[in-house]
Amino acid sequence: MALKRFTRLLWATSLSISLVTGQSIEQETEEAITYLTGTKSGTLPLNGATPTGTYQTFSSKITLATTSLPTSLGVLTANYTETELVTTLTGSVTSSITTTTTNGTASSTVSTPPRPTNTRPCNNYPELCERKYSNITEVGCHNSPFVRAGSAAANQMYNVTDQLNDGIRFLQGQIQFPVNGTQPHFCHTSCDLFDAGPITDWLGKVREWVSAHPYDVVTILLGNGNYSNPDLYVPYIERSGILRYIYTPPVIPMGLDDWPTLAQMILTGQRVVMFLDYSANATAYPWLQDEFSAMWETPFDPLDDTFPCTVQRPPDLPEEQAKNRLYLMNHNLNAEVSLLGQSILVPAVSALNTTNAASGKGSLGMAAANCRDQWTRPPNVLNVDYYNFGDYPGSVFEVAARMNNVTFVKRPCCGSTSAGFRGIRGVERGLGLGLVLGWGVWMLVG
């Protein structure tokens, strides 16, 4: 009963805080994004502490007994030409495939022809085709599955299909098992707080999009919310059909030079990279890569709008090792809200236009540039909440183009044509206070 009441209080707060602080959003539909404010804290509250899962370490590289495309083998030619809006990607790849069996090893050579034509291949920028996966910056959707109007626990406004259509190529979400549940769901902190449904449904939508866009590379980071054995997740991942496009690394841990180019991944059909943050098993499931042996992250659930570009996870990572890994820049500013004596972190949506801006203090552009200067290369992932906000809708993609040193191609953004962003306007504080009192009475008698 207490958890149910807490959940109802969070839902009520998500509607009332925005009104009492005099902020709302005007858009073309009746559905509204919730605006929340709170008091920032210099230290992380308990629920915002760095996860304490086990971090894997490797004393040397291990060659995996898998089918893969090592960058040191095979011959690839990939050329593109642009005529108006159509880009043609041509090429072929011959890869050496080695499979380990109980009786030894067997080798074979497979030639995979390219598909003929696509508009703007290689994640919307043909210039990226010849670059290694490790030398590209993408915009990431923090907590991609958590989309719900009027919920403080939501992190995105548009569903995963819209996210991908708008240019997102990195998706992250946390998996948990609901109480008495029989299959894993995407849940935000607790399935009682926000349950976005079975992982198979969401992964199936990603698979449908990937199938329809054969010249794009998509990355999925799964958060192991229960620190469960991956054996419990794999059957449901397989059921989605997404393994048809999965990338399997040749070695672990993967260094920056070990990654293939986007063209190689596209021409071989290995266009989905998947990570698990904790408890990955590279021996059993080499395609479900351990995140923190290949990538590090800046501070988790940031409350500091200066966004220091320091290594937080994995902890105590030597600088020379950090320089040879991918890295994810967490740029999803949070606010601390106290409910029923508990502190929780929610997206600081009242600051989104600043946080996701291309330039200025506290902006995504400023933080990305600081990281690039500090580490002599840009972040691989710009992980954000509500990517459609900024100094204009979709300004986060301008920052990614800047980090990739390519000319920004401004595309329509964001979401479907039935929902759009117009701007922020004030509302009467008196109305907001009245609603707060109303929700409070409902909570007490409910």
Side-chain angles (χ1 to χ4, degrees), residues 75-82 86-93 112-118 121-122 126 129-130 214-215 261-264 266-268:
V75 177
L76 172 73
T77 58
N79 304 303
Y80 60 85
T81 58
E82 289 200 53
V86 177
T87 302
T88 301
L89 179 67
T90 62
S92 62
V93 60
T112 305
R115 302 200 182 185
T117 305
N118 183 58
C122 300
C129 289
E130 297 176 359
Y215 293 86
T261 65
L262 289 195
Q264 286 174 306
I266 290 167
L267 294 173
T268 56

Side-chain angles (χ1 to χ4, degrees), residues 254-416:
M254 290 282 281
L256 295 181
D257 289 337
D258 295 318
W259 289 94
T261 65
L262 289 195
Q264 286 174 306
M265 300 174 81
I266 290 167
L267 294 173
T268 56
Q270 299 184 46
R271 300 184 289 108
V272 174
V273 179
M274 189 174 293
F275 294 102
L276 185 68
D277 59 357
Y278 296 103
S279 304
N281 185 339
T283 303
Y285 313 109
W287 50 267
L288 187 57
Q289 300 183 59
D290 172 58
E291 177 195 3
F292 292 115
S293 64
M295 179 190 307
W296 57 267
E297 293 191 16
T298 64
F300 175 81
D301 277 349
L303 290 158
D304 183 352
D305 65 1
T306 63
F307 297 101
C309 198
T310 55
V311 180
Q312 186 190 57
R313 295 186 294 167
D316 304 318
L317 181 68
E319 182 177 344
E320 63 273 13
Q321 293 185 30
K323 288 182 176 180
N324 193 36
R325 298 188 188 187
L326 308 172
Y327 76 100
L328 181 152
M329 187 184 85
N330 285 304
H331 198 80
N332 50 299
L333 188 65
N334 289 270
E336 184 181 351
V337 175
S338 180
L339 296 175
L340 296 180
Q342 299 188 51
S343 291
I344 66 168
L345 295 180
V346 295
V349 295
S350 61
L352 277 172
N353 284 344
T354 297
T355 304
N356 289 354
S359 61
K361 183 180 182 296
S363 69
L364 182 68
M366 179 205 73
N370 288 344
C371 279
R372 180 187 57 197
D373 293 345
Q374 181 173 340
W375 294 95
T376 67
R377 62 186 179 89
N380 296 97
V381 182
L382 310 175
N383 209 29
V384 301
D385 286 331
Y386 294 105
Y387 69 91
N388 49 302
F389 282 78
D391 40 9
Y392 63 87
S395 57
V396 293
F397 298 109
E398 178 183 346
V399 178
R402 193 183 302 161
M403 293 299 103
N404 285 321
N405 196 27
V406 295
T407 301
F408 175 51
V409 178
K410 191 171 184 179
R411 306 165 68 238
C413 191
C414 302
S416 64

